[in-house]
Amino acid sequence: MGINVDTTASLSRRQAHWEKSSSIRSRPRRVLRNVSPDEHFYPIARQPIALHPLVKALGTAARQRILLQSLYKFLNDIAFVETRVVSEVSLAIANDQMPGPFPAQLRADVLTVVIDEAFHAHVAIDFMEQVQRLTGVTPLSLPTTLTVEQAIRNALPKLPADLHIALKTISVCIAENSVTKDLIDVHREDGLNETFHAVNGDHMIDEVRHCLIFGDVLRHLWSVLTLAQRRAIGAVLPDFLGDYLNLSLQKQFDIDILADVGLDARQIETVIAATHLDQDLATYRTVNPIVDKVVNFLAESGVLDDPEIRKAFEDRRLVDS
């Protein structure tokens, strides 16, 4: 079935905002012309290995190289999540391929997300290529998957086939909520390259709107699922979150970066042990607010209203009993 979204002649308030403020409608191409030695391409606070004494001892050039490679992974992740996970789900919603019907206006809103996300991927790849040309530094081997994709792959076999698209949709709702927070945190960092700051700011403005759209998507989806369907999905969500927030891909990339700047195997092990703590999700909750943010998002959308589902989260110490 082709895309068929019925809308009135007048734009909704949300669509009118998209026409006026979306980056694809209102922002110029961001061109990287020079790099100041006093600025960096990625927030130091988001790359703890750059702050380790063994790395600091290597000097400023090594730190900048680490941050540059971290930028490449950040941009690569954006291109992947936007064109694969988010677009797949958004198109399924627009095509009415969900467990229940979605309002025409919400499907129209989601179509603007499809347009935005393809543009975000284009901007990310374009900026990565600009950075490579200006710095002469090529990316290391970048991950070919994302933690959200791994989490989805692990969760789908636990559910009947007719709930796969529902689980993927909930995953995207969670991811879009998390990405928005990440972009806001990056935007607040001082000392960033001016052009990257502008690229990130453009993306952030779009993602704030997407976050609101996918909040509506999650609430509507949850309302059309039966109690049995909700409970089936609710039972796998704690494990999904554990996989989604797992840092194994980042850990391996950090190992590769540290080797690239010249640390030996023992030094790398020391840095990784200090910056990547082995801990379960409940313990991770005590040190990173992203866990509570995601769980609160689910709660506000009605996902934890059922006592049986809430107990599954309590048993994993993701909510207080």
Side-chain angles (χ1 to χ4, degrees), residues 11 14-23 25-27:
L11 291 175
R14 187 173 280 165
Q15 284 183 297
H17 179 68
W18 177 77
E19 292 283 355
K20 180 180 179 181
S21 303
S22 64
S23 58
R25 293 291 203 193
S26 64
R27 299 295 191 276

Side-chain angles (χ1 to χ4, degrees), residues 230-250:
R230 293 178 192 174
R231 286 180 171 175
I233 294 171
V236 307
L237 282 179
D239 284 340
F240 168 84
L241 292 181
D243 291 335
Y244 171 58
L245 297 173
N246 184 281
L247 298 176
S248 59
L249 290 176
Q250 184 64 54

Side-chain angles (χ1 to χ4, degrees), residues 56-303:
K56 286 184 175 181
L58 297 175
T60 301
R63 185 192 68 179
Q64 293 292 69
R65 189 173 181 87
I66 286 172
L67 295 176
L68 189 55
Q69 293 295 343
S70 299
L71 169 76
Y72 289 151
K73 180 180 182 299
F74 178 75
L75 295 172
N76 188 67
D77 286 353
I78 288 173
F80 274 6
V81 75
E82 308 291 42
T83 58
R84 293 183 351 192
V85 184
V86 179
S87 290
E88 177 190 354
V89 165
S90 298
L91 289 170
I93 294 170
N95 279 292
D96 244 353
Q97 296 171 342
M98 303 300 291
F102 269 57
Q105 191 56 66
L106 186 52
R107 286 187 284 128
D109 289 341
V110 168
L111 277 177
T112 67
V113 174
V114 176
I115 297 167
D116 290 342
E117 302 299 39
F119 184 63
H120 295 161
H122 166 74
V123 170
I125 293 170
D126 176 47
F127 189 67
M128 187 187 300
E129 291 174 348
Q130 290 187 57
V131 173
Q132 288 183 61
R133 286 195 298 269
L134 188 65
T135 65
V137 177
T138 58
L140 299 174
S141 179
L142 296 167
T144 58
T145 189
L146 301 161
T147 54
V148 66
E149 290 179 320
Q150 291 182 328
I152 290 171
R153 284 195 294 269
N154 291 341
L156 289 184
K158 303 172 186 176
L159 291 169
D162 63 330
L163 289 182
H164 284 188
I165 189 59
L167 187 278
K168 289 181 179 180
T169 302
I170 293 168
S171 303
V172 167
C173 293
I174 291 170
E176 286 291 280
N177 187 270
S178 304
V179 164
T180 303
K181 181 183 182 303
D182 285 345
L183 293 171
I184 291 172
D185 288 346
V186 169
H187 198 68
R188 290 171 174 165
E189 179 82 4
D190 293 329
L192 286 178
N193 171 265
E194 182 178 353
T195 309
F196 173 60
H197 192 266
V199 167
N200 186 75
D202 294 345
H203 190 179
M204 178 188 70
I205 290 171
D206 288 343
E207 290 300 337
V208 169
R209 180 168 39 81
H210 295 183
C211 188
L212 297 174
I213 291 172
F214 279 103
D216 289 347
V217 166
L218 180 54
R219 283 185 288 273
H220 180 76
L221 172 62
W222 203 249
S223 74
V224 300
L225 295 174
T226 67
L227 179 60
Q229 289 173 325
R230 293 178 192 174
R231 286 180 171 175
I233 294 171
V236 307
L237 282 179
D239 284 340
F240 168 84
L241 292 181
D243 291 335
Y244 171 58
L245 297 173
N246 184 281
L247 298 176
S248 59
L249 290 176
Q250 184 64 54
K251 180 178 179 179
Q252 182 56 55
F253 190 68
D254 287 351
I255 290 172
D256 294 342
I257 294 175
L258 292 170
D260 179 64
V261 297
L263 293 189
D264 62 33
R266 180 172 294 182
Q267 291 172 319
I268 291 172
E269 184 178 350
T270 298
V271 176
I272 293 298
T275 55
H276 287 270
L277 304 179
D278 290 328
Q279 51 197 357
D280 61 22
L281 187 58
T283 305
Y284 189 53
R285 179 190 175 201
T286 65
V287 297
N288 193 329
I290 188 62
V291 180
D292 279 346
K293 181 173 176 59
V294 170
V295 173
N296 289 340
F297 170 66
L298 294 173
E300 290 166 2
S301 302
V303 175

